């Protein structure tokens, strides 16, 4: 079976993790601090605060805004459900905006109609690694006093307007889950240029402690910490950070290889009439964290039947990005029309793409998809 994604991990990561274990300091410590500095620098941010996942990072950055019932945060429904869930954790309500069909991202045109007097933030997602036009969203929102935050879960190594995604972000949250390019098993990071937010995020991820456990240890003597507010345990371990530091060194090579493979897909798939695929937006470059294709308009088969037919041929493709509002967890949650979200979520699929994917295997994916689509073999209308 050709998998949809495979992390690129080698003996260097294993050695780094073993070294962390041998050091005796396995919880958040010096390797986390080093990973934070290195990651923030790589994405052009002033500071990084490592956390246990992107989801906990999103919770923390929304927590900074002091949200509660009655407050609204605009998010795309077209995202992994964690984006909307993080808003729910704060007591605020996610308000779903539609997305652009080419990028899968929020735009000023999709966001403007859902802004209200209760909107406290917009959480833009760089979906599947495709950079959102954050400057345009900020131009819409900031004059209204609404901050634009970034869910950059998928976007390490993507660029916008010549700068890495993350550069200049108010607050951005990143994921190091193995479906992403850079992985620490589980893990995440919040980046920002603001030193005060950084200090607060560091406290909040560690139970609200005024002096971190690592700093108390380093100080040697009896340092008594205080708990200034109710915080969380959202820490990353030094074992994960050790792996992350090695992975960060591979990131540029991963992006280059994915872009090379994506270009091969685009060329090979251009023979299928009407098929569309993810590509760079006007002013940016994607890391192709997800290579999704959109079935031709009028194609008679269902997307799920295409997935099943590919699985029969040994190819593990996946449904495209989900529409959160269609999941049972959001049944009854009010929302306006989301036609592009529903089209993309219902008619797209993600093809295998990973660093070690061979051109032979990629050709097998292209041949299988082409056969399935050209034969119309799965024109069952709804399986
Ligand atoms: C857009 C987006 N946000 C958030 C998440 C959650 O990331 P994590 O698994 O690190 O919590 C994901 C993961 O797939 C994602 O794609």
């Amino acid at each position: 079976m050709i998998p949809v994604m495979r992390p690129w991990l080698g003996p260097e990561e294993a050695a780094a993790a073993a070294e962390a274990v041998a050091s005796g300091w396995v919880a958040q410590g010096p390797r986390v601090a080093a990973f934070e500095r290195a990651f923030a620098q790589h994405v052009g941010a002033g500071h990084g605060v490592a956390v246990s996942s992107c989801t906990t990072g999103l919770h923390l950055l929304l927590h900074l805004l002091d949200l509660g019932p009655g407050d609204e945060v605009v998010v795309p429904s077209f995202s992994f459900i964690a984006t909307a869930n993080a808003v729910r954790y704060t007591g605020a309500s996610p308000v779903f905006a539609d997305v652009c069909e080419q990028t899968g991202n929020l735009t000023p045109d999709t966001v403007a109609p859902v802004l209200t007097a209760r909107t406290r933030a917009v959480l833009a997602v760089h979906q599947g690694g495709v950079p959102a036009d954050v400057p345009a969203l900020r131009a819409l929102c900031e004059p209204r006093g609404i901050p634009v935050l970034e869910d950059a879960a998928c976007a390490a190594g993507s660029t916008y307007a010549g700068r890495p995604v993350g550069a200049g972000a108010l607050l951005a949250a990143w994921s190091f889950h193995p479906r992403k390019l850079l992985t620490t098993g589980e893990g995440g990071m919040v980046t920002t240029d603001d030193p005060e937010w950084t200090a607060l995020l560091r406290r909040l991820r560690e139970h609200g402690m005024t002096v971190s456990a690592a700093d108390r240890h380093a100080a040697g003597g009896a340092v008594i910490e205080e708990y200034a507010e109710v915080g969380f345990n959202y820490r990353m371990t030094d074992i994960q950070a050790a792996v992350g530091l090695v992975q960060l060194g591979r990131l540029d090579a991963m992006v280059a290889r994915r872009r090379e493979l994506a270009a091969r897909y685009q060329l090979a798939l251009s023979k299928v009439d009407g098929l569309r695929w993810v590509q760079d937006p006007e002013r940016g470059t994607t890391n192709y964290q997800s290579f999704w294709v959109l079935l031709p308009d009028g194609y008679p088969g269902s997307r799920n039947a295409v997935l099943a037919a590919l699985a029969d041929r040994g190819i593990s493709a996946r449904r495209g990005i989900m529409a959160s509002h269609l999941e049972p967890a959001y049944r009854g949650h009010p929302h306006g029309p989301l036609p592009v979200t529903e089209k993309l979520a219902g008619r797209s699929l993600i093809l295998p793409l990973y660093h070690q994917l061979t051109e032979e295997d990629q050709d097998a994916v292209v041949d299988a998809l082409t056969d399935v689509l050209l034969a119309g073999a799965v024109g069952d209308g709804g399986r």
Side-chain angles (χ1 to χ4, degrees):
M1 200 77 169
I2 301 176
V4 71
M5 177 61 165
R6 176 179 286 164
W8 181 27
L9 292 161
E12 297 84 354
E13 281 84 351
E19 208 179 290
V21 171
S23 79
W25 192 278
V26 290
Q28 177 186 286
R31 289 170 181 81
V32 167
F35 182 43
E36 290 175 337
R37 284 192 295 274
F39 185 81
Q41 190 181 13
H42 201 94
V43 302
H47 310 277
V49 179
V51 286
S52 52
S53 69
C54 180
T55 305
T56 56
L58 288 170
H59 183 194
L60 282 193
L61 62 79
L62 291 163
H63 186 84
L64 290 182
L65 303 186
D66 208 11
L67 303 170
D71 292 332
E72 297 178 352
V73 177
V74 175
V75 296
S77 164
F78 186 66
S79 185
F80 185 61
I81 199 163
T83 310
N85 285 350
V87 177
R88 295 279 289 268
Y89 300 160
T90 67
S93 184
V95 172
F96 293 127
D98 212 0
V99 292
C100 158
E101 188 165 325
Q102 279 68 44
T103 63
N105 286 327
L106 297 181
T107 68
D109 285 348
T110 67
V111 168
V114 299
L115 296 178
T116 73
R118 291 180 300 281
T119 308
R120 296 285 314 283
V122 171
L123 180 54
V125 180
H126 301 285
Q127 195 48 259
V130 177
D133 188 352
V134 173
L137 292 169
R138 288 176 73 163
L140 169 74
C141 295
E142 287 179 353
R144 295 168 166 81
I146 300 169
V148 178
L149 314 178
E150 301 179 39
D151 179 339
C154 308
S158 299
T159 71
Y160 197 73
R163 298 202 298 170
V165 165
L170 285 182
L171 287 158
W174 308 78
S175 174
F176 306 132
H177 182 272
R179 277 289 288 271
K180 311 300 185 268
L181 277 68
L182 182 171
T183 186
T184 57
E186 294 279 357
M189 185 87 72
V190 178
T191 55
T192 179
D193 289 339
D194 187 308
E196 282 174 28
W197 275 342
T198 304
L200 192 48
L201 288 163
R202 288 195 197 293
R203 276 214 309 274
L204 286 168
R205 69 150 171 213
E206 196 168 13
H207 304 287
M209 244 180 241
T210 49
V211 190
S212 76
D215 288 349
R216 272 183 285 136
H217 176 80
V223 180
I224 310 294
E225 80 283 11
E226 277 191 324
Y227 297 83
E229 67 259 286
V230 176
F232 308 89
N233 179 359
Y234 285 168
R235 288 174 294 209
M236 175 183 275
T237 68
D238 254 30
I239 304 172
Q240 291 168 295
V243 172
L245 278 163
V246 180
Q247 286 272 289
L248 189 60
R250 298 189 194 274
L251 183 59
D252 291 346
M254 290 186 206
V255 174
R257 177 64 179 154
R258 295 181 78 86
R259 289 183 59 79
E260 191 183 354
L261 288 166
R264 279 191 95 246
Y265 265 142
Q266 288 160 345
L267 189 65
L269 292 172
S270 57
K271 63 184 172 220
V272 185
D273 244 12
L275 190 72
R276 281 181 285 155
W277 45 79
V278 60
Q279 51 191 304
D280 286 334
E282 217 173 295
R283 297 174 62 209
T285 60
T286 168
N287 60 7
Y288 286 105
Q289 183 270 337
S290 286
F291 189 89
W292 53 262
V293 298
L294 183 64
L295 295 179
D297 288 340
Y299 177 74
S302 76
R303 185 272 318 277
N304 291 355
V306 174
L307 289 179
L310 289 174
D312 288 345
R313 289 164 171 78
I315 288 150
S316 177
R318 288 282 183 280
R319 72 166 167 164
I321 288 106
M322 66 198 294
S324 303
H325 72 282
L326 298 179
E327 294 299 320
Y330 284 88
R331 194 170 290 141
H333 187 82
H335 61 83
L338 298 164
V340 178
T341 297
E342 289 178 8
K343 175 177 177 180
L344 292 178
R347 300 287 288 170
S348 63
L349 55 142
I350 295 174
L351 299 184
L353 185 61
Y354 46 89
H355 190 82
Q356 315 87 319
L357 182 69
T358 63
E359 295 184 355
E360 209 175 37
D361 279 350
Q362 191 183 28
D363 292 343
V365 176
V366 170
D367 289 347
L369 182 63
T370 310
D371 276 1
V372 169
L373 295 181
L374 293 185
V378 289
D380 64 357
R383 181 176 145 195

